[in-house]
Amino acid sequence: MYHDEFRRSIDQPEAFWAEQAKRIPWFTPPTTILEYDEANHARWFVDGELNICHAALDHHVEQGRGDQPAIYWDSPVTDSKRTITFAEMRDQVARFAGALRDLGVEKGDRVVIYMPMVPEALVAMYACARLGAIHSVVFGGFAPHELAVRIEDAEPKVVIAASCGVEGDRVLPYKPIIDAAIEQSRYKPEACVILQREQHAAELGMAIDHDWSALVERAAPAECVPVKGSDPLYILYTSGTTGKPKGVVRDTGGYAVALAYSMETIYDVAPGEVFFSASDVGWVVGHSYIVYAPLLRGATTLVYEGKPVKTPDAGAFWRLISEYRVTSFFTAPTAFRAIKKEDPDAKLMAQYDISCLKALFLAGERLDPPTFHWLDDLLTVPVIDHWWQTETGWPIAANLHGLEPMPTKAGSATVPVPGFDVQILDREGEPSGAMEQGSVVIKQPLPPGCLAGVWRDPQRFHSAYMAAFPGYYLTGDGGYFDEDGYLFIMGRTDDVINIAGHRLSTGEMEEVVGAHPAVAECAVIGIHDALKGQLPVGLVIPKDGFEGDELTLENELIGLVREKIGPIACFKQVLVVDRLPKTRSGKILRKLLRNIADGQEFGVPSTIDDPASLQDVHEAMKERSVGAAEEARQV
Ligand code: COA
Ligand code: AMP
């Protein structure tokens, strides 16, 4: 079954996706299924007309789901819970869309959203979609500078934020972050809408500030504006290899079709069931599987403002599954590593009836075999690793639970999802055989739902994804197929690192560290961490004549990355060194540094300029207990 469906999706993509498009209530069904633009990139459903807000809300109300919960909100950090039905959600969204329209927001305008995990974040996103405006949600753990970069690039007419986020027992005021970001940005939005939360009232002192409730009170509901299938729904910035994040542009029609298809074939979710994705609206998983896909499917989405542990304990997920009768649960492996650390025998799980759960899905980083086995032994339901990225918007490889479940293999995301012609190429662009590791690429055309471009930067779209192997999309991951056609994703081949399922750029951290006046040269590498998967470590050479205190410099650099990128970068280790191992052409040997920090065997490459530098760095890492450097051995 899987194999037939996969083959059809690759051999007859137009016929296959024309069929899948019937899952969506279009205003005008598409007649052109697949088209190529002037740069030869696939465009799906260009002449179809729809509105994703209509498909996810109004349509279900019209079909009799008005009284069904659309959102369960559970926030242990504020001790609050709320249920919002499909009819209530449609009405709230329509009113807030009316408020945005009153502020001048129209089809094609951009709106930046900086909000914690509250239902209003979803209201704001759907309200933009209702008007045909393009939202760009920025994760709350990013600092003002990161927000400023996104504001400057997206040029939003309006910024929407909450007065605060709540991280464990800490209340984090957001307004100062917004004000600082707008101050730093050369582009200035026309309005800033603030949702006042009980935990902290923001001062609305700027001329552009508006109070969410006051705006909504005055607003009349707005109807859904029809958009074309290829019109953009959102821009989501993601870390690239440089300091400037990439604005991944998602279209509307292809995305809606892909999500609807995935809810049945991958997640096996039926209308009326409860889907829980423990991510954040600021990440792609949040966009796809908290906000849009569950509601498109007529399912209820559980929005959780809390952590896997400490809010209040490592039983939080089990409680949520039990209390809301969750049927499909999705999180990152790191969340379970945190739970396992606190409750190794999962004693807290026994307190809850989780018999409603049909499957557990994990993504965001590699599902390491020990975590897989811990979960597989613990649960009676399938534990499904699936692989995807911000750019694709939905899974590239998975065990297709709703189509044909397959035996799992620890460490593998199983098989390519229909629509994704995944191949492994070697450096020369030649196909690799089974068990041979190489670059994981996707043969064009990318299926519906994948990125339509990089916001206002077609050149970067081409150079980052399409140039390396003409005819193929470069995923940036390395991996291989085994003899049974199972795909193993082994990690990034570029400067992107994965910290607790969050994607960050070491290149960007290097730019921040390198800008410190006392720093002559630096390298930031991602090293293995048992809890978060990877953590960044900075190695820094001070400028000649530097006479300051090394520890002070290290702390300043840690503070700088926190201030410029944000706490989510988890940049907490810096070593001042005299020299860095480089090739004779001056390239820092980062892979070698990573191997040493990870305690692996390492040789001295023939291309190295100054072999003694390697020993110096190794000694420094050992002394400061960086990663497992102590175990590293020169061979
Ligand atoms: N707003 C502001 N700050 C935030 C934030 C947010 N939304 N999210 C995280 N932060 C801050 C944290 O408070 C922490 O700051 P600190 O250095 O002052 O302590 C820092 O960013 C790092 O956060 P995090 O990586 O979440 O670490 P943690 O120690 O608080 O929690 C885990 C560890 C494993 C529990 C947590 O990383 C987790 O839940 N991971 C799952 C990730 C996930 O779901 N990813 C989704 C991708 S599918
Ligand atoms: P993001 O764009 O933030 O979703 O990060 C995408 C990156 O996370 C991918 O390119 C992979 O490196 C990694 N990733 C996500 N899911 C998996 C998975 N199931 N297995 C291995 N790596 C994964």
Side-chain angles (χ1 to χ4, degrees), residues 325-378:
R325 309 313 294 158
V326 170
T327 53
S328 306
F329 175 40
F330 179 168
T331 190
T334 189
F336 275 113
R337 288 197 296 271
I339 292 171
K340 184 174 150 206
K341 198 165 156 224
E342 303 226 339
D343 184 18
D345 301 320
K347 291 205 175 85
L348 291 166
M349 190 182 94
Q351 295 178 9
Y352 302 98
D353 168 15
I354 59 161
S355 56
C356 49
L357 190 68
K358 295 197 297 187
L360 167 65
F361 297 88
L362 295 137
E365 58 178 322
R366 181 163 183 263
L367 174 56
D368 52 296
T371 307
F372 169 77
H373 289 302
W374 187 75
L375 286 163
D376 200 37
D377 292 346
L378 197 66

Side-chain angles (χ1 to χ4, degrees), residues 298-632:
T300 304
T301 186
L302 171 53
V303 176
Y304 175 56
E305 189 181 30
K307 297 258 175 182
V309 292
K310 299 193 169 69
T311 58
D313 57 31
F317 284 169
W318 312 126
R319 171 185 71 80
L320 291 157
I321 292 168
S322 166
E323 189 170 330
Y324 298 99
R325 309 313 294 158
V326 170
T327 53
S328 306
F329 175 40
F330 179 168
T331 190
T334 189
F336 275 113
R337 288 197 296 271
I339 292 171
K340 184 174 150 206
K341 198 165 156 224
E342 303 226 339
D343 184 18
D345 301 320
K347 291 205 175 85
L348 291 166
M349 190 182 94
Q351 295 178 9
Y352 302 98
D353 168 15
I354 59 161
S355 56
C356 49
L357 190 68
K358 295 197 297 187
L360 167 65
F361 297 88
L362 295 137
E365 58 178 322
R366 181 163 183 263
L367 174 56
D368 52 296
T371 307
F372 169 77
H373 289 302
W374 187 75
L375 286 163
D376 200 37
D377 292 346
L378 197 66
L379 300 171
T380 52
V381 300
V383 175
I384 298 174
D385 178 14
H386 59 331
W387 166 61
W388 52 303
Q389 37 184 226
T390 304
E391 289 83 347
T392 63
W394 64 296
I396 311 165
N399 198 333
L400 286 103
H401 184 56
L403 186 63
E404 185 188 356
M406 294 184 180
T408 46
K409 289 192 190 188
S412 169
T414 316
V415 289
V417 167
F420 289 97
D421 190 354
V422 179
Q423 303 195 11
I424 312 290
L425 300 182
D426 66 16
R427 275 173 203 278
E428 280 70 47
E430 294 301 321
S432 301
M435 304 306 292
E436 282 172 17
Q437 199 160 319
S439 276
V440 187
V441 297
I442 303 167
K443 189 163 187 277
Q444 301 254 48
L446 287 171
C450 296
L451 81 170
V454 172
W455 179 248
R456 287 185 176 159
D457 201 346
Q459 184 46 41
R460 194 156 183 213
F461 181 39
H462 179 76
S463 61
Y465 302 110
M466 305 299 183
F469 301 109
Y472 297 88
Y473 161 85
L474 182 74
T475 66
D477 280 306
Y480 63 92
F481 280 107
D482 74 2
E483 273 100 0
D484 300 325
Y486 276 57
L487 181 62
F488 288 74
I489 298 296
M490 303 309 290
R492 299 286 305 194
T493 53
D494 53 16
D495 291 341
V496 168
I497 60 170
N498 200 307
I499 306 170
H502 307 133
R503 173 166 160 184
L504 288 134
S505 160
T506 52
E508 184 175 9
M509 294 183 214
E510 279 181 14
E511 283 184 23
V512 173
V513 171
H516 188 287
V519 172
E521 233 181 316
C522 71
V524 176
I525 53 167
I527 67 164
H528 176 75
D529 179 71
L531 175 66
K532 296 194 176 180
Q534 281 185 299
L535 280 178
V537 171
L539 298 156
V540 170
I541 304 175
K543 282 193 178 145
D544 283 350
F546 170 74
E547 284 177 357
D549 174 47
E550 288 187 0
L551 199 63
T552 308
L553 175 60
E554 290 175 8
N555 285 332
E556 276 175 23
L557 295 172
I558 289 169
L560 205 57
V561 173
R562 196 177 170 92
E563 180 200 316
K564 292 278 184 201
I565 301 179
I568 202 67
C570 298
F571 186 76
K572 295 189 173 166
Q573 255 188 315
V574 183
L575 299 188
V576 171
V577 292
D578 292 334
R579 46 198 174 163
L580 284 165
K582 288 186 196 167
T583 60
R584 276 188 275 281
S585 58
K587 223 171 144 232
I588 297 173
L589 292 157
R590 288 183 174 74
K591 189 163 185 289
L592 200 58
L593 290 171
R594 275 199 305 271
N595 288 347
I596 298 173
D598 288 343
Q600 293 169 8
E601 288 186 345
F602 65 95
V604 182
S606 56
T607 50
I608 198 164
D609 183 37
D610 173 11
S613 61
L614 208 53
Q615 276 314 322
D616 279 7
V617 170
H618 188 192
E619 286 305 321
M621 285 187 181
K622 274 204 291 195
E623 203 177 298
R624 297 284 293 277
S625 307
V626 168
E630 229 159 308
E631 292 154 29

